[in-house]
Amino acid sequence: MRQKFLLLFVLLAAAMLLPAAQTMKTGSRITHLPSPLYLDNSTHSLSEFQNKKYLVLFIFENNAAALQEFPKINTLFKQWDSLAAFVGVGIGSAEKLRSLPGATSLPFPVNIDKGTVKKSLFRKGDRAPLAVLLDKNGTLLWRGKAAGLSRIIRNCEAGKFDINEQLRLEIFNDAVNEAIKNNKLDKAVKLFDTEYRRNPGKIFLLSLQVKLLKRLNRTQDIFKILHDAQKKSPADHRIFEMEYQLIGETADDKRRPEFFTRLKNNFARSPYVLLGVAIAELQMPSGHLELATVTDLVESGWRSNAFSSSAARGAYALEYARILHSLGRNDLALIMAETACKDLAKEPKAFAKAEAALIYYRKLSNFAPLIKLPNLKN
């Protein structure tokens, strides 16, 4: 009967904190904190602080993480003081909280809590310090790191905050955590796949899916989902980089020619993407390194001439020169370094680097023919 009573309170967004075994859902209402006691020995009801459009609860523990967050929350308090009231919630005894440097000098009241708030408000994965945003009526809108608070308040003010979406994501996260906890990795993969298709811009969802598939040794499936993702988001070089990394991890050299051809065609107008892969390719073990691939990629990027400015072209030329030098063509590196200097003439710092490279390549060009092996017979 008691469980039905608690469930009814959740569905009705009950105006109270739930018992320790139950984590409050987004959209629930908070009208009071478990303890009325504050660090300055005063007592308050939560309603006393609900005199602005929003109320921020800053929940922290007596640890180093809190010390790092105190300056941030002080800045946020000054930034949003006109719109939001702030209340600190320190977890621990009054003595320990008072001994925490900066706790008593926070610019807002600090409630003393024995851990009940943490059990009620912290979802799986949440860590203190935690910022909790409520509206004027105590409706739980959002929870997360203090660094994300400004973005959420701005979205609320612009009418872009969707509490239903927050709740949906909460349910999604719970389902994923439960699947992984019970070692149902296939189910977690499907959940990530569905969510990524819904939000293809959130690359971390694809990355998490890939990690789970690696644990399941489903390499072929990883290649398939990456190829599908590339078709849907052809301009996102990160998806191609994930495939490049996977090819390296699996030492599947047969895939390399087709991958590089596809990469060149797809990023024909993105020279820095091609340059980045060329530089990465140079770090490959000699047994897998294909020097022709390196030069093909960097040459393709240079031939595209798709640079946003002369400075961008000069920066590319300098990197091209370094690659040519590493491949034993100091004569060509010298030419590219001269080009870089011309293009970077109006960029003092970049020009200094290009000029230093040019001087070195010139010295090497003049000195290299003079080097001879010693005659060991004499």
Side-chain angles (χ1 to χ4, degrees), residues 112-369:
I112 302 171
D113 188 85
K114 300 298 183 182
T116 304
V117 164
K118 184 176 180 180
K119 294 176 182 178
S120 300
L121 287 178
F122 281 50
R123 302 155 300 185
K124 290 181 180 180
D126 284 336
R127 297 288 182 271
L130 185 74
V132 179
L133 181 66
L134 313 177
D135 68 9
K136 187 175 182 178
N137 298 317
T139 303
L140 174 53
L141 301 178
W142 173 85
R143 283 146 298 195
K145 292 298 181 183
L149 182 62
S150 291
R151 175 178 58 85
I152 297 300
I153 293 179
R154 289 193 189 99
N155 284 343
C156 288
E157 288 299 286
K160 297 179 180 178
F161 181 78
D162 186 347
I163 194 169
N164 292 324
E165 177 64 8
Q166 290 292 317
L167 184 56
R168 189 193 69 78
L169 289 174
E170 210 166 81
I171 294 171
F172 164 73
N173 288 332
D174 287 345
V176 168
N177 288 329
E178 188 68 18
I180 293 176
K181 176 184 176 182
N182 294 322
N183 202 32
K184 296 181 178 180
L185 300 187
D186 286 315
K187 180 178 179 180
V189 166
K190 291 180 180 178
L191 288 169
F192 278 126
D193 181 60
T194 300
E195 188 65 18
Y196 177 68
R197 291 176 186 276
R198 184 187 183 101
N199 299 284
K202 295 182 178 180
I203 195 70
F204 72 92
L205 293 169
L206 182 65
S207 178
L208 291 170
Q209 189 179 353
V210 167
K211 288 181 180 179
L212 289 179
L213 287 171
K214 285 180 180 179
R215 288 175 58 181
L216 292 168
N217 294 317
R218 289 169 53 184
T219 304
Q220 299 306 314
D221 288 338
I222 300 177
F223 281 114
K224 184 180 184 305
I225 67 167
L226 289 179
H227 291 167
D228 289 343
Q230 288 164 7
K231 292 175 182 177
K232 294 177 181 177
S233 304
D236 195 334
H237 63 86
R238 296 172 298 175
I239 305 174
F240 288 81
E241 289 168 2
M242 290 169 67
E243 182 183 3
Y244 177 66
Q245 182 179 5
L246 182 63
I247 291 172
E249 290 174 356
T250 58
D252 193 351
D253 289 349
K254 292 181 180 179
R255 290 183 177 270
R256 290 163 62 81
E258 187 275 334
F259 169 77
F260 289 124
T261 298
R262 183 160 31 89
L263 182 77
K264 280 199 312 173
N265 292 337
N266 193 76
F267 294 100
R269 303 294 295 173
S270 302
Y272 271 99
V273 172
L274 302 181
L275 176 64
V277 177
I279 293 173
E281 186 69 6
L282 277 173
Q283 313 306 315
M284 290 287 290
S286 57
H288 297 277
L289 174 60
E290 292 290 343
L291 296 178
T293 297
V294 175
T295 57
D296 188 28
L297 289 172
V298 73
E299 286 173 8
S300 296
W302 182 250
R303 281 197 305 269
S304 74
N305 201 29
F307 302 104
S308 58
S309 64
S310 59
R313 183 175 182 270
Y316 191 101
L318 183 57
E319 290 300 324
Y320 196 173
R322 289 171 178 163
I323 291 176
L324 290 167
H325 170 68
S326 69
L327 296 179
R329 290 304 303 270
N330 188 68
D331 56 329
L332 299 180
L334 184 60
I335 295 172
M336 292 307 298
E338 290 174 343
T339 301
C341 286
K342 292 177 182 177
D343 286 340
L344 296 171
K346 296 181 180 180
E347 305 289 333
K349 291 184 179 180
F351 175 78
K353 293 180 180 179
E355 186 179 41
L358 178 61
I359 292 172
Y360 175 71
Y361 297 149
R362 279 177 177 166
K363 286 186 176 181
L364 185 59
S365 181
N366 293 330
F367 183 70

